């Protein structure tokens, strides 16, 4: 259900400052629903820590076919808060089991199940 996904993304954005002010939750939502990330115009500017985004990717992965560190890097659409393009290696290296706000992220993601 795409409206549930939009609600979940909005809640995550509020909780962990997922996106900076150049990116809307709707742009991220549209990108996640796209068959191919390269077909969308939007750049996704992250505001959260890479450890949090890496955790979020892991949690959302079961809901999307192509949402993984490799596809994120290949798309060239995801920009970290330091202004660099997000690399798969960066997501793998920042994978932690207990990022900041983990419980909140888990609670919000549960709404998709």
């Amino acid at each position: 259900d795409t409206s549930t996904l939009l609600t979940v993304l909005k809640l995550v954005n509020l909780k962990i400052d997922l996106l900076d002010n150049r990116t809307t939750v709707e742009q991220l939502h549209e990108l996640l629903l796209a068959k191919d990330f390269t077909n969308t115009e939007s750049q996704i500017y992250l505001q959260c820590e890479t450890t949090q985004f890496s955790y979020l990717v892991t949690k959302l992965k079961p809901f999307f076919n192509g949402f993984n560190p490799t596809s994120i890097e290949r798309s060239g659409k995801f920009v970290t808060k330091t202004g660099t393009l997000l690399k798969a290696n960066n997501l793998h290296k920042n994978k932690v089991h207990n990022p900041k706000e983990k419980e909140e992220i888990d609670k919000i993601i549960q709404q998709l199940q």
Side-chain angles (χ1 to χ4, degrees):
D1 179 16
T2 62
S3 63
T4 307
L5 174 63
L6 185 58
T7 304
V8 164
L9 292 173
K10 284 181 177 177
L11 289 169
V12 170
N13 191 39
L14 281 173
K15 271 293 166 208
I16 66 168
D17 281 334
L18 177 62
L19 306 169
D20 91 351
N21 59 9
R22 291 174 285 183
T23 305
T24 66
V25 175
E26 288 76 14
Q27 286 171 311
L28 177 60
H29 182 246
E30 178 192 332
L31 186 120
L32 288 176
L33 295 176
K35 294 265 182 270
D36 178 1
F37 290 169
T38 55
N39 289 344
T40 64
E41 293 299 308
S42 306
Q43 284 288 96
I44 306 300
Y45 292 94
L46 300 173
Q47 185 60 44
C48 65
E49 295 176 359
T50 306
T51 52
Q52 290 174 309
F53 188 69
S54 180
Y55 184 74
L56 193 60
V57 169
T58 304
K59 297 304 274 184
L60 288 174
K61 205 172 171 183
F63 302 100
F64 300 97
N65 293 334
F67 191 56
N68 57 58
T70 306
S71 65
I72 288 170
E73 176 177 341
R74 282 195 190 130
S75 75
K77 298 282 183 194
F78 292 83
V79 183
T80 67
K81 67 181 178 183
T82 58
T84 57
L85 283 177
L86 199 50
K87 302 275 184 224
N89 186 27
N90 204 345
L91 284 173
H92 290 302
K93 171 173 90 186
N94 282 289
K95 197 171 199 167
V96 293
H97 292 293
N98 202 6
K100 272 195 221 163
E101 311 287 355
K102 176 189 188 299
E103 292 78 21
E104 294 296 331
I105 295 169
D106 288 346
K107 257 189 249 170
I108 295 167
I109 300 293
Q110 279 175 349
Q111 294 178 39
L112 286 174
Q113 292 158 351

